[in-house]
């Protein structure tokens, strides 16, 4: 997993829960990297699982809720770091529709070794989109947070629902309906 995800995750933990919590989850996780991450490095996904699990235990929040919160945080961080990625879009439905053909292409240019989920568009209108998330990592709640934050970025709201298609969360259908103007 790319180091930028780790650095952004720890930044979220610090901003939401404080530096003491960051230090404690790193210490409790017994990480091969010792919690020393660079944005360009690549690290074992199990380190992220360990960090999230220890954060959940420390702050008494469900893991899925923490992953969702990270998705919300990550969207804002990515837009700040790479505003050109969303600059071509004037609404969130168009942005979501272009995940595979534009956004992930851009991400792959920046991080060639990144293992990205795939999104298959099932149906799209001007105010709605249905898509299937697929990833061996099952971080669909991260995708959920990113989707919701994309609407906030464009000053819109939407109802986002999902149905887990595989028990392990590796395949999930999202239905997104933008609220009226």
């Amino acid at each position: 997993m790319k180091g930028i995800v780790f650095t952004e995750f720890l930044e979220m933990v610090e901003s939401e829960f404080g530096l003491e919590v960051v230090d404690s989850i790193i210490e409790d996780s017994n990480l091969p990297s010792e919690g020393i991450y660079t944005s360009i490095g690549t690290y074992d996904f199990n380190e992220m699982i360990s960090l999230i699990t220890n954060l959940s235990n420390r702050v008494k929040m469900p893991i899925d809720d923490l992953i969702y919160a990270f998705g919300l945080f990550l969207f804002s961080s990515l837009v700040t770091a790479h505003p050109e990625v969303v600059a071509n879009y004037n609404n969130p439905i168009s942005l979501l529709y272009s995940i595979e053909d534009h956004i992930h292409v851009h991400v792959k240019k920046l991080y060639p070794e990144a293992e990205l989920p795939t999104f298959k568009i099932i149906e799209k209108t001007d105010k709605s989109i249905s898509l299937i998330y697929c990833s061996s990592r099952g971080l669909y709640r991260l995708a959920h947070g990113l989707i919701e934050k994309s609407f906030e970025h464009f000053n819109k709201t939407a109802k986002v629902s999902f149905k887990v298609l595989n028990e392990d969360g590796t395949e999930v259908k999202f239905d997104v309906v933008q609220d009226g103007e």
Side-chain angles (χ1 to χ4, degrees), residues 92-93 126-129 148 151-152 154-160 175-181:
I93 299 288
D126 288 345
K127 299 287 184 187
S128 68
I129 191 165
E148 287 201 355
F151 279 84
E152 185 180 312
F154 289 101
N155 298 312
K156 306 282 184 193
T157 58
K159 180 179 182 225
V160 179
D175 291 305
V176 183
V177 180
Q178 184 174 313
D179 293 334
E181 296 294 278

Side-chain angles (χ1 to χ4, degrees), residues 117-119 131-135 137-140 143 169-172 174:
T118 60
F119 291 89
L131 42 91
I132 305 284
Y133 159 95
C134 293
S135 172
R137 294 190 170 138
L139 295 174
Y140 68 94
T170 58
E171 191 172 358
V172 176
F174 284 93

Side-chain angles (χ1 to χ4, degrees), residues 15-80:
S15 71
E16 295 296 318
F17 305 106
L19 190 55
E20 180 183 314
V21 173
V22 172
D23 290 341
S24 73
I25 66 170
I26 289 172
E27 189 173 304
D28 293 346
S29 296
N30 194 23
L31 305 166
S33 71
E34 299 179 353
I36 301 168
Y37 303 109
T38 66
S39 61
I40 59 169
T42 301
Y43 306 92
D44 189 326
F45 178 65
N46 290 322
E47 288 198 22
M48 181 59 72
I49 297 300
S50 184
L51 289 167
I52 291 170
T53 301
N54 283 309
L55 178 61
S56 174
N57 293 336
R58 172 76 184 219
V59 301
K60 307 294 187 239
M61 284 180 68
I63 289 172
D64 281 349
D65 291 353
L66 292 168
I67 293 170
Y68 168 78
F70 181 48
L72 296 172
F73 182 88
L74 187 59
F75 184 90
S76 297
S77 294
L78 293 174
V79 169
T80 299

